[in-house]
Amino acid sequence: MTFTRTSVNAVVSPEGSLEVLSQDEVNRLKDTSSNGHHEILRRCALAVLSCGSPQDDSQALLDQHPDFDIEVLQQDRGIKLRLTAAPAVAFVDGQMIRGIREHLFAVVRDLVYVSNEIDQNPRYDLEDSSAATEAVFHILRNARVLKTNLSPNLVVCWGGHSISREEYEYTKDVGYHLGLRGLDICTGCGPGAMKGPMKGANVAHAKQRTTQRRYIGISEPGIIAAEAPNPIVNQLIIMPDIEKRLEAFVRLAHGIIIFPGGVGTAEEILYLLGLLSSRENQQHPLPIVMTGPESARAYFEQIDAFLVQVFGEEIRHKYRIIMNNPAEIARYLKTGIEDVTHYRCQHSDAFYFNWHLKINPLFQQPFHPTHEAMSQLQLHRNQPTEELAAQLRRAFSGIVAGNVKASGIQAIQQHGPFELKGEPAIMASLDQLLRAFVAQGRMKLASKEYHPCYRIIN
């Protein structure tokens, strides 16, 4: 192993176990053509190795490490990874940090599994709703996330990576009170509101001498390159796209907490409330809390006002807003999860994967945010609530892509901002909400000037 001031060359063995790869699998991971997986592996690996970096621009991260490369080596006893010019922050005294090594091989595991068992498997017609759910299930099972011997205790925490220090400390306090009550944490695995709850729960679990601690991080290739997994994540899963990532969250969740965030968090809220607005899911218990410190009250008032303006007053029945009270939130989630447990027992549904939740195919079909696709979104109220929520979710997904995903950033650079148009009242509410996000520095990391990747057409 050789060192420079900022980079390391190394050959790394798996942490834990990884199945031997076939020669075809190795070749696809090496293939630099558009059909190969090398570039996506390179981007994801660099993000994992840069854990702790404040960077949220995948291209800027690559520009900082232009010579970085990764190669899969097939050997008789398994595989190894050869890293060239890897960020030195991933190593201590010449050895890769164990958690980073686990994350690195989780990336390889999931890229290979999705390619072999999902993309190239005729069994999965991903246009079919049940087949898409089966794909989500099998990816999670292959990652060994589904635990059949545990009672419901998994809280999914959503929120932004670009939050204030006060908001971050608050997420830790909430996570701490969740951990004291034996609840595990699942997040999008990045920094900010995705890291804080895990950090707080980790301290509480240690105090309670909890031996089995789950800090599950769920990402997807376009996001992980901009939001590297935080070091507390001990089970990392890379879903193939944002739609399957969101479905994985709701299928695993026994309760959901929403912290302050930006467009990504708004996308998650619309996805969740769209599902729960479906007639088939009306009776399905799932405790949902929006929360933050008192200083974030205006943020949630804006979110709440937007939801009511677009969907009507009845939407408020699907969530609670509890400000500045971590202990009350933890008690509310604990009680709500008891209701979830009772419901699952009554309906013979698994504790570890919510099969009974019905998901409209509009929420499952991958949305590719081109300029044409964004301009053709149906943003009007002359459609069922869940379908309007699905269309708005896609609008926010496109803005996320324009903010942080390499493909979205490139499209904006080439063709200018996305254009969004629709019913005037909805567009006015959307414009007001997005302007508030920009003013509060919730679009990108707060240290950066934000240039909108969208334009509202009234």
Side-chain angles (χ1 to χ4, degrees):
M1 183 178 297
T2 59
F3 290 85
T4 66
R5 188 168 61 88
T6 59
S7 64
V8 173
N9 298 330
V11 176
V12 185
S13 299
E15 174 62 36
S17 62
L18 187 73
E19 293 181 357
V20 175
L21 301 182
S22 71
Q23 193 60 53
D24 179 62
E25 290 166 337
V26 172
N27 288 338
R28 267 184 279 132
L29 289 170
K30 291 181 177 180
D31 188 356
T32 58
S33 73
S34 59
N35 295 322
H37 301 311
H38 178 264
E39 184 58 26
I40 193 169
L41 173 61
R42 178 173 175 259
R43 286 177 177 269
C44 292
L46 179 57
V48 166
L49 294 166
S50 302
C51 177
S53 168
Q55 185 60 257
D56 68 346
D57 183 329
S58 59
Q59 187 57 53
L61 189 60
L62 286 169
D63 291 343
Q64 290 174 9
H65 303 276
D67 298 325
F68 170 73
D69 205 357
I70 180 170
E71 181 182 5
V72 180
L73 305 177
Q74 176 69 287
Q75 300 184 342
D76 291 341
R77 296 185 179 181
I79 68 165
K80 292 187 177 183
L81 300 177
R82 175 182 288 146
L83 306 176
T84 303
V89 69
F91 297 81
V92 174
D93 296 336
Q95 299 295 319
M96 182 175 286
I97 296 169
R98 183 174 179 179
I100 291 178
R101 185 163 49 158
E102 288 179 356
H103 291 170
L104 189 60
F105 281 92
V107 168
V108 177
R109 176 201 68 208
D110 292 340
L111 288 179
V112 169
Y113 184 82
V114 168
S115 176
N116 277 0
E117 304 300 330
I118 307 298
D119 292 343
Q120 299 187 36
N121 190 338
R123 168 185 175 185
Y124 295 105
D125 175 10
L126 297 180
E127 295 296 317
D128 177 74
S129 178
S130 59
T133 296
E134 283 281 333
V136 171
F137 171 82
H138 284 285
I139 294 169
L140 294 173
R141 187 176 69 175
N142 183 64
R144 300 179 183 177
V145 171
L146 305 179
K147 303 295 183 182
T148 61
N149 60 337
L150 295 179
S151 296
N153 77 333
L154 189 63
V155 178
V156 167
C157 296
W158 286 338
H161 66 293
S162 181
I163 60 175
S164 69
R165 186 70 198 184
E166 181 185 10
E167 290 169 350
Y168 174 70
E169 294 295 332
Y170 181 80
T171 69
K172 288 201 300 183
D173 289 342
V174 173
Y176 174 78
H177 284 276
L178 295 173
L180 288 178
R181 291 161 177 81
L183 301 175
D184 289 333
I185 307 294
C186 174
T187 77
C189 87
M194 293 168 276
K195 178 182 178 182
M198 292 182 173
K199 197 166 186 179
N202 194 27
V203 173
H205 286 156
K207 283 188 174 183
Q208 293 285 27
R209 301 299 188 264
T210 303
T211 55
Q212 186 166 331
R213 313 172 187 183
R214 291 191 297 165
Y215 311 116
I216 300 172
I218 304 177
S219 191
E220 54 101 357
I223 291 291
I224 192 173
E227 294 178 357
N230 73 70
I232 303 171
V233 170
N234 59 15
Q235 289 185 288
L236 175 65
I237 308 99
I238 312 300
M239 304 301 290
D241 51 56
I242 187 63
E243 288 77 13
K244 292 176 185 61
R245 182 195 192 201
L246 289 168
E247 181 166 352
F249 279 130
V250 298
R251 297 286 184 190
L252 288 176
H254 303 121
I256 295 179
I257 296 177
I258 300 163
F259 293 108
V263 285
T265 305
E267 176 184 4
E268 292 162 341
I269 292 171
L270 289 163
Y271 179 92
L272 178 61
L273 296 182
L275 296 190
L276 298 182
S277 296
S278 170
R279 180 176 54 81
E280 293 92 340
N281 298 326
Q282 290 291 329
Q283 303 304 315
H284 195 100
L286 184 65
I288 301 168
V289 177
M290 298 185 190
T291 188
E294 188 60 35
S295 60
R297 183 176 294 276
Y299 167 81
F300 286 107
E301 288 176 347
Q302 290 161 347
I303 291 283
D304 182 60
F306 172 77
L307 294 172
V308 172
Q309 288 165 6
V310 173
F311 300 111
E313 187 71 31
E314 63 276 7
I315 200 71
R316 283 187 169 139
H317 298 308
K318 304 188 186 307
Y319 58 87
R320 281 192 61 186
I321 298 177
I322 303 174
M323 299 302 298
N324 202 34
N325 198 331
E328 181 185 352
I329 290 161
R331 286 192 292 267
Y332 178 78
L333 265 293
K334 183 73 172 179
T335 300
I337 288 174
E338 290 172 359
D339 294 338
V340 170
T341 303
H342 180 67
Y343 181 89
R344 300 275 183 98
C345 289
Q346 277 191 323
H347 293 81
S348 301
D349 197 11
F351 287 166
Y352 54 84
F353 190 85
N354 187 347
W355 288 105
H356 282 196
L357 194 69
K358 304 301 180 185
I359 300 183
N360 188 309
L362 276 174
F363 289 104
Q364 293 178 309
Q365 296 164 3
F367 175 66
H368 304 290
T370 63
H371 282 71
E372 181 181 7
M374 290 287 281
S375 67
Q376 293 180 354
L377 290 173
Q378 301 300 305
L379 305 179
H380 59 77
R381 279 177 282 207
N382 189 25
Q383 58 186 319
T385 296
E386 63 179 311
E387 294 183 12
L388 174 56
Q391 295 289 331
L392 283 166
R393 197 284 299 177
R394 290 180 171 186
F396 282 100
S397 185
I399 296 173
V400 171
N403 282 349
V404 301
K405 294 186 180 181
S407 58
I409 293 171
Q410 184 177 16
I412 299 301
Q413 290 172 343
Q414 291 179 346
H415 306 294
F418 294 130
E419 292 188 348
L420 294 169
K421 53 189 175 181
E423 183 179 324
I426 291 178
M427 302 315 294
S429 296
L430 180 60
D431 189 32
Q432 184 178 14
L433 183 66
L434 292 173
R435 286 178 184 274
F437 287 169
V438 173
Q440 295 171 13
R442 296 188 183 278
M443 289 297 200
K444 301 272 280 183
L445 291 177
S447 61
K448 294 186 175 182
E449 181 181 358
Y450 179 65
H451 300 284
C453 65
Y454 60 89
R455 182 184 299 120
I456 302 292
I457 307 296
N458 290 318

